[in-house]
Amino acid sequence: MLARNLFILLVVVGAALAIVSLSLQFFHLIPTTPMGEERPPQGQGQGQGKSRKRVIPVPNTEAPEPDPIAEAYGYCNTPNHSEQAWEGHSPADYKLLSIQVMIRHGDRYPLYAIPKTKRPAIDCTLSPKRKPSHPQLNSFIGHMAQGGRGRWEGTLSSLPRLPNHSTCEMGELTQTGVVQHLRNGQLLRLAYKRHKLLPPNWSTKQVWVETTGRSRTLQSGMALLYGFLPDFDWSRLTVHHQWSTLFCGSACDCPARNRYLEEEQRRQYRLRAADTELERTYADMARTLGLPPRQLRAANPIDSLLCHLCHGLSFPCVAAGSALSSGGCLTLAQFAVIRRQQLEDEVDRRRVGLYRRYAVLATHPYLNRTANRMERFAKANAPGRKPRAGGEEAFTLSSAHDVTVAPLLSALGLEDALFPRFAARVVFELWRSPPATQGQHKGQGQGLVKADWLKGERSKGGNWGNMFVRVLYNGEDVTFHTTFCRSHGRNAAQPLCPLGNFLSFVKKDMFNVLNATSYHNACYRRTG
């Protein structure tokens, strides 16, 4: 009997220890994701659901070396039903005045073809029955058929409003790209619904949409707008044409910007040329395909291979049919080497700093328009002001490219943010604090703005003590990682960033990295 009781006791103790062990393993396996990172499940392209308990994300100071394959799946941005967003979150009783959104277009067909291989077999027509799909996809298709009632600037009216080729054309938006932005629009609609940002009868002045002259950016913008404003009234919409991918409008002439870009491109070339593993990989790939390595490089194979990866297609294969070709398939290991080098290039780019200088000059015109819109809205909402007829631009959407979004992140000081994935979004929010706290925050907000800027604003009758901004990247609040608000501190009594900080940054402070005082001065001043 004693032996049996002892045996039972040992079994109970063993079971208890097993439960504790499993619990510890469970807590250890809860993922902690660095700012903006998407970590796909093994063998899939969908990101894991992220913890949303923090309003202000804390960067991971012990981030491991990035996995090129996992990073590539995050870049694909396969639509994920568990995705959430921090847009629209604020302290109680704060009033949201406006949002300005810049997006990268959604998933597209490659811009380059790998010689001697078959192009990826992807259908670029839209079908609600094909995955990935979206509940609004069918109604979106019908709504775009009515687009002739809208106003389209420049050559935009000649572009198709939907991708429409059964065999995709180079650079064409795919169904995945449309669904990505329908989801973006839906996320923003749910985030801002309670704030009543736009009245049901919004006017033409209150919604501003602009896009480059590419069908993929126009279609991406329309998908997000439809997700945000289902069945919107075409007669009230004007779609504006941005001729430059930098969205620089009439301020595109900047000699110094072009010089910094040329220097940055030379840095990239030197880093690639010094990478012996990369050279061997390109030589192996070229031998498989029967091509000179230089021709393979010029074909930018990573662009096409990313498309294969994102759409779950096997990498290209060729048969041995010439003296140059050994035959076979391109491999995931070769793909990983090229992506590894690209990730290392991003680290070196931040270290050298040439790209940051280029980025400041490349994005100032867009940031200046963003700041001016915020300033106008702040003035229009000042105490005692009568609202303008038709209202201000409460919702602004700029549909752009990776070469637009990447320098914007760098200029804002978000150097650690991941390279813009398909359907990436950057959101600028303008907030007003509640009347009961305007007095107590007034001095605090002004104290954080440079004195000379405040003096100028007072002379115009401006007072931004109750106005604040937030910046979000792919749904993460990155405001306190920006150059203009790092010094504000996470533990300040005011949890948002004073508008004056942003205005001062755009008008003057962002040129400090160039030892200049203005955009014109930085663009035309000769150095050295």
Side-chain angles (χ1 to χ4, degrees):
M1 178 67 71
L2 180 61
R4 188 176 69 177
N5 289 342
L6 182 60
F7 174 75
I8 294 173
L9 178 62
L10 289 173
V11 170
V12 171
V13 171
L17 289 173
I19 292 171
V20 171
S21 176
L22 286 171
S23 300
L24 290 173
Q25 290 180 45
F26 172 76
F27 286 115
H28 176 69
L29 290 173
I30 293 176
T32 54
T33 314
M35 177 185 68
E37 182 178 341
E38 294 279 332
R39 184 178 301 160
Q42 188 173 356
Q44 300 180 29
Q46 295 182 349
Q48 297 272 21
K50 296 185 231 173
S51 170
R52 297 287 166 176
K53 295 181 180 179
R54 297 170 297 167
V55 175
I56 302 171
V58 178
N60 188 340
T61 57
E62 297 182 0
E65 286 292 322
D67 177 352
I69 305 302
E71 183 276 338
Y73 278 122
Y75 177 89
C76 295
N77 190 21
T78 303
N80 178 3
H81 291 288
S82 67
E83 184 181 359
Q84 300 179 46
W86 271 111
E87 284 96 347
H89 288 246
S90 73
D93 301 325
Y94 276 58
K95 170 68 175 175
L96 179 66
L97 301 180
S98 71
I99 61 170
Q100 300 185 57
V101 184
M102 174 172 278
I103 60 172
R104 184 192 176 189
H105 60 75
D107 178 83
R108 58 155 173 78
Y109 200 70
L111 296 172
Y112 302 86
I114 302 177
K116 298 189 178 182
T117 66
K118 291 183 179 180
R119 292 170 53 188
I122 298 174
D123 186 345
C124 272
T125 59
L126 301 182
S127 170
K129 296 179 181 179
R130 191 171 66 245
K131 293 183 179 181
S133 191
H134 189 275
Q136 290 179 296
L137 182 58
N138 197 45
S139 58
F140 169 70
I141 295 169
H143 195 68
M144 288 301 106
Q146 307 168 28
R149 293 164 24 198
R151 291 184 289 275
W152 307 84
E153 275 189 0
T155 60
L156 297 181
S157 60
S158 64
L159 296 177
R161 288 180 285 276
L162 294 173
N164 56 11
H165 295 93
S166 57
T167 300
C168 293
E169 294 190 342
M170 291 298 192
E172 188 171 11
L173 194 71
T174 65
Q175 176 159 316
T176 300
V178 170
V179 170
Q180 285 168 337
H181 278 302
L182 284 173
R183 284 193 55 75
N184 269 345
Q186 181 185 48
L187 284 170
L188 295 182
R189 182 175 80 250
L190 294 175
Y192 294 122
K193 185 177 181 180
R194 66 185 178 89
H195 295 287
K196 299 179 180 178
L197 186 71
L198 291 168
N201 61 338
W202 53 269
S203 71
T204 301
K205 291 182 180 179
Q206 290 174 300
V207 174
W208 174 279
V209 178
E210 59 185 357
T211 174
T212 63
R214 299 289 183 181
S215 62
R216 59 183 176 273
T217 52
L218 183 147
Q219 294 161 7
S220 293
M222 290 298 98
L224 187 145
L225 185 64
Y226 188 79
F228 186 65
L229 296 172
D231 300 313
F232 59 82
D233 184 349
W234 279 107
S235 67
R236 287 184 271 169
L237 182 69
T238 297
V239 184
H240 303 271
H241 186 191
Q242 274 289 344
W243 295 88
S244 168
T245 57
L246 294 180
F247 283 62
C248 47
S250 61
C252 287
D253 184 33
C254 183
R257 179 196 68 218
N258 300 336
R259 289 197 301 271
Y260 285 126
L261 180 58
E262 291 169 2
E263 292 179 37
E264 165 63 14
Q265 289 169 340
R266 286 194 290 269
R267 179 205 62 79
Q268 287 181 344
Y269 174 79
R270 288 192 298 267
L271 191 68
R272 286 197 301 267
D275 194 318
T276 55
E277 185 185 23
L278 182 68
E279 288 297 319
R280 285 196 304 270
T281 298
Y282 271 117
D284 291 342
M285 295 169 69
R287 191 161 43 250
T288 298
L289 300 174
L291 294 170
R294 182 171 294 184
Q295 183 182 354
L296 179 63
R297 277 182 174 276
N300 191 13
I302 193 68
D303 188 50
S304 181
L305 294 178
L306 271 166
C307 180
H308 285 79
L309 184 83
C310 294
H311 289 263
L313 303 175
S314 300
F315 282 177
C317 299
V318 295
S322 72
L324 291 175
S325 174
S326 63
C329 302
L330 302 183
T331 68
L332 189 64
Q334 293 167 338
F335 170 87
V337 169
I338 302 176
R339 288 301 287 175
R340 184 268 307 160
Q341 195 281 328
Q342 289 181 326
L343 294 175
E344 290 178 359
D345 177 77
E346 291 181 28
V347 174
D348 191 66
R349 182 187 73 187
R350 292 192 291 268
R351 180 187 64 81
V352 174
L354 286 170
Y355 187 81
R356 176 75 187 282
R357 296 181 181 92
Y358 160 76
V360 165
L361 297 177
T363 60
H364 177 262
Y366 171 79
L367 284 171
N368 193 47
R369 287 199 307 277
T370 300
N372 287 340
R373 285 187 177 115
M374 286 187 176
E375 193 171 12
R376 286 199 305 270
F377 226 107
K379 288 178 179 178
N381 283 270
R385 284 293 185 98
K386 186 177 180 180
R388 271 200 329 174
E392 301 286 342
E393 294 159 348
F395 175 74
T396 299
L397 174 62
S398 303
S399 187
H401 305 262
D402 56 354
V403 294
T404 322
V405 180
L408 176 62
L409 297 172
S410 180
L412 291 171
L414 301 173
E415 296 287 354
D416 292 330
L418 295 180
F419 188 82
R421 67 193 189 188
F422 285 130
R425 67 184 187 271
V426 180
V427 178
F428 297 86
E429 298 176 343
L430 176 64
W431 294 86
R432 183 180 65 200
S433 60
T437 61
Q438 286 180 14
Q440 79 183 69
H441 292 319
K442 178 178 176 181
Q444 178 186 355
Q446 289 183 345
L448 292 164
V449 184
K450 294 200 177 290
D452 56 345
W453 174 246
L454 261 181
K455 183 178 179 181
E457 285 312 302
R458 287 193 186 115
S459 68
K460 301 176 196 174
N463 184 341
W464 314 134
N466 66 325
M467 299 289 178
F468 301 89
V469 298
R470 289 176 78 220
V471 182
L472 302 103
Y473 181 46
N474 294 334
E476 295 283 2
D477 185 346
V478 295
T479 310
F480 294 93
H481 297 284
T482 61
T483 300
F484 65 86
C485 215
R486 282 190 201 119
S487 61
H488 185 59
R490 301 174 188 281
N491 300 317
Q494 175 47 254
L496 299 182
C497 188
L499 172 62
N501 283 33
F502 181 63
L503 297 180
S504 179
F505 171 74
V506 174
K507 302 297 181 183
K508 182 179 178 182
D509 297 342
M510 68 185 297
F511 303 111
N512 290 344
V513 70
L514 299 166
N515 294 320
T517 57
S518 69
Y519 180 66
H520 185 274
N521 176 244
C523 284
Y524 292 97
R525 184 175 56 113
R526 281 281 179 182
T527 59

